[in-house]
Amino acid sequence: MVGKTIGTRLIELGYEVKMGSRTNNNDKALEWVKANDKKATTGTFEDAAKFGDIIFNCTKGEITLEVFKQAGVEHFKQKTVIDISNPLDFSQGMPPFLSPQYVNTNSLGEEIQKLLPEANVVKSLNIVNCEVMVNAAKSGGEPTMFISGNSVNAKEEVKAILGQFGWKDIIDLGDISTARGTEMMLPIWLRTYMATGNGYIAFKIIR
Amino acid sequence: MVGKTIGTRLIELGYEVKMGSRTNNNDKALEWVKANDKKATTGTFEDAAKFGDIIFNCTKGEITLEVFKQAGVEHFKQKTVIDISNPLDFSQGMPPFLSPQYVNTNSLGEEIQKLLPEANVVKSLNIVNCEVMVNAAKSGGEPTMFISGNSVNAKEEVKAILGQFGWKDIIDLGDISTARGTEMMLPIWLRTYMATGNGYIAFKIIR
């Protein structure tokens, strides 16, 4: 759902998008291609990795690293990887906690960067639902978005896309280790969602 | 510093405040008493615990549980304990991480409630600096504050005090286990502070 929402918005903005899946004949991916114009294509994770200059990681955190390995880590060299995933563990029910190996003194963003040392991983967007990701105003206001990454150029690329998604207040937190901060916002997002029943909440840094 | 800032504001609001310390002749506490009117007094942690109907825990997270034991857990029965502490571990330098035993699947707020089963622990205010705690507008806007606790009545008491501190947007997250969410906001607070240089930041939930 996240991949489809982001892919559709990117197509609307004029980008060519290849949706990667485990197989090259995934039903939902083919349906998405059909619903969009010829800029939308589909293929395996490897096909998508080879195709893209900019890659969105929209996989569930629990399988993210496995998917990157399946796609072939050699296909991400010098590319910008926008990581919007969260290492959520639903094994104990709602609300999920964060996977203990990726929290507090580590993060999934850092682990992806370690797995893809020649890629430029940028963590962003993981703190809102996918409709708000591609349309910040859908939150009901003008929220803040954070970016974390080691490459200044890649972060500029991501900032430009965030701007196209309607994000006007963007804070560059620094290197990819600052993804620890944004991944650890999931517990408050989840509990605020559970307390208010509103899944379109977003965060504004008042300053 | 946090205790002094909150104590002073409570005195201004007309409350009587006893500042607790390890000893009953702590220099900084005596200085604070001198700087305020006769509603300000000082004593040991035990004296303060016996005196207060509402107790603010303004101790460093690393010593919080020890301080409550020193104060005598029997003195907190039926009392509202406002826990504003954070279990920060500075042993590896800046930014600190959260103490592994109190993060993700646990929280310091919950541990305090376990230690004081007959008290009504309410977690709040831990996500801003102490000047913003007592004056929400100092953030530069109208931020959101969260409360977590098992007692509805105690949360109402805390909401009233938060109102006196200028907090107009208060979200009740639910029971004390939701303190996991607010304690895990410290990493993003710290990194936003480091990125912006602004220590008066606060969070607004856009909705």
Side-chain angles (χ1 to χ4, degrees):
Chain A
M1 189 176 74
V2 178
K4 279 165 70 174
T5 303
I6 289 181
T8 301
R9 183 77 188 110
L10 289 169
I11 296 279
E12 286 168 5
L13 289 166
Y15 291 92
E16 293 180 34
V17 179
K18 190 179 284 291
M19 175 88 71
S21 310
R22 286 188 190 281
T23 60
N24 65 4
N25 60 353
N26 179 289
D27 282 348
K28 286 183 186 166
L30 291 170
E31 214 173 88
W32 174 79
V33 166
K34 221 173 167 180
N36 284 278
D37 72 19
K38 66 179 183 359
K39 292 198 204 76
T41 56
T42 181
T44 62
F45 287 129
E46 185 174 15
D47 295 334
K50 281 183 186 168
F51 177 85
D53 295 316
I54 299 175
I55 290 121
F56 273 85
N57 171 34
C58 308
T59 62
K60 286 205 175 86
E62 58 201 40
I63 58 159
T64 288
L65 296 172
E66 195 47 46
V67 168
F68 276 109
K69 285 177 196 161
Q70 201 175 317
V73 298
E74 66 276 20
H75 302 309
F76 295 91
K77 284 181 189 171
Q78 313 309 326
K79 293 185 177 179
T80 297
V81 175
I82 308 181
D83 173 34
I84 66 169
S85 67
N86 283 300
L88 296 174
D89 183 332
F90 287 90
S91 65
Q92 310 294 312
M94 275 292 281
F97 47 87
L98 292 170
S99 302
Q101 69 269 41
Y102 304 131
V103 74
N104 199 24
T105 53
N106 194 11
S107 63
L108 189 52
E110 285 165 274
E111 286 296 320
I112 296 169
Q113 183 64 78
K114 272 183 224 160
L115 182 65
L116 311 174
E118 294 183 78
N120 299 313
V121 178
V122 179
K123 186 99 202 182
S124 195
L125 289 174
N126 62 307
I127 56 169
V128 290
N129 86 21
C130 61
E131 292 178 60
V132 179
M133 286 180 192
V134 300
N135 181 5
K138 197 141 192 178
S139 64
E142 206 176 280
T144 304
M145 186 45 67
F146 301 96
I147 52 172
S148 304
N150 299 341
S151 162
V152 171
N153 289 344
K155 284 190 282 193
E156 286 302 320
E157 260 186 327
V158 176
K159 267 191 214 173
I161 295 173
L162 292 177
Q164 292 175 315
F165 287 175
W167 294 93
K168 292 169 190 165
D169 181 27
I170 300 168
I171 295 178
D172 181 350
L173 294 173
D175 69 28
I176 192 66
S177 77
T178 61
R180 295 175 194 179
T182 42
E183 292 182 12
M184 288 174 82
M185 293 175 80
L186 263 288
I188 190 66
W189 186 94
L190 285 157
R191 284 170 178 85
T192 303
Y193 162 61
M194 291 165 79
T196 63
N198 182 346
Y200 293 87
I201 50 171
F203 301 91
K204 172 82 185 170
I205 296 294
I206 304 281
R207 59 198 189 278
Chain B
M1 190 176 74
V2 177
K4 279 164 72 175
T5 303
I6 290 182
T8 300
R9 183 76 189 112
L10 289 170
I11 295 279
E12 285 169 6
L13 288 166
Y15 291 93
E16 292 178 34
V17 180
K18 189 179 286 290
M19 174 87 71
S21 311
R22 286 189 190 280
T23 59
N24 65 4
N25 60 352
N26 179 290
D27 281 348
K28 286 181 184 167
L30 291 170
E31 215 173 86
W32 173 79
V33 167
K34 219 172 168 183
N36 284 279
D37 72 19
K38 67 182 181 356
K39 293 199 202 76
T41 56
T42 182
T44 63
F45 287 128
E46 185 174 14
D47 294 333
K50 282 183 186 168
F51 176 86
D53 295 314
I54 298 174
I55 289 120
F56 273 84
N57 171 33
C58 307
T59 63
K60 285 205 174 86
E62 59 200 41
I63 58 158
T64 288
L65 297 173
E66 194 46 47
V67 167
F68 276 109
K69 286 176 197 161
Q70 201 176 316
V73 298
E74 67 276 19
H75 302 309
F76 294 91
K77 284 181 189 170
Q78 313 308 327
K79 293 185 177 180
T80 296
V81 175
I82 308 180
D83 173 33
I84 66 169
S85 67
N86 283 298
L88 297 174
D89 183 331
F90 287 89
S91 65
Q92 311 293 315
M94 273 296 278
F97 47 85
L98 291 169
S99 302
Q101 69 268 40
Y102 304 132
V103 75
N104 200 25
T105 53
N106 194 10
S107 63
L108 189 53
E110 285 165 274
E111 286 295 321
I112 296 169
Q113 183 64 80
K114 273 183 225 158
L115 182 65
L116 311 173
E118 295 183 77
N120 298 314
V121 178
V122 179
K123 187 98 199 184
S124 194
L125 289 175
N126 62 308
I127 57 169
V128 289
N129 86 20
C130 61
E131 292 177 60
V132 178
M133 287 181 190
V134 299
N135 182 5
K138 196 139 191 178
S139 64
E142 206 175 280
T144 304
M145 185 46 66
F146 302 96
I147 52 173
S148 303
N150 298 342
S151 162
V152 171
N153 288 343
K155 285 192 282 194
E156 286 303 320
E157 259 186 328
V158 175
K159 266 192 213 172
I161 295 173
L162 291 178
Q164 293 175 313
F165 288 174
W167 293 92
K168 292 170 188 163
D169 182 26
I170 299 168
I171 295 178
D172 181 350
L173 294 173
D175 70 27
I176 192 66
S177 76
T178 63
R180 294 176 195 179
T182 42
E183 292 183 12
M184 288 174 82
M185 294 175 80
L186 263 287
I188 191 64
W189 187 93
L190 284 157
R191 284 168 178 84
T192 304
Y193 162 62
M194 290 166 79
T196 63
N198 182 346
Y200 293 87
I201 51 171
F203 301 90
K204 172 81 185 172
I205 296 294
I206 304 283
R207 60 195 188 280

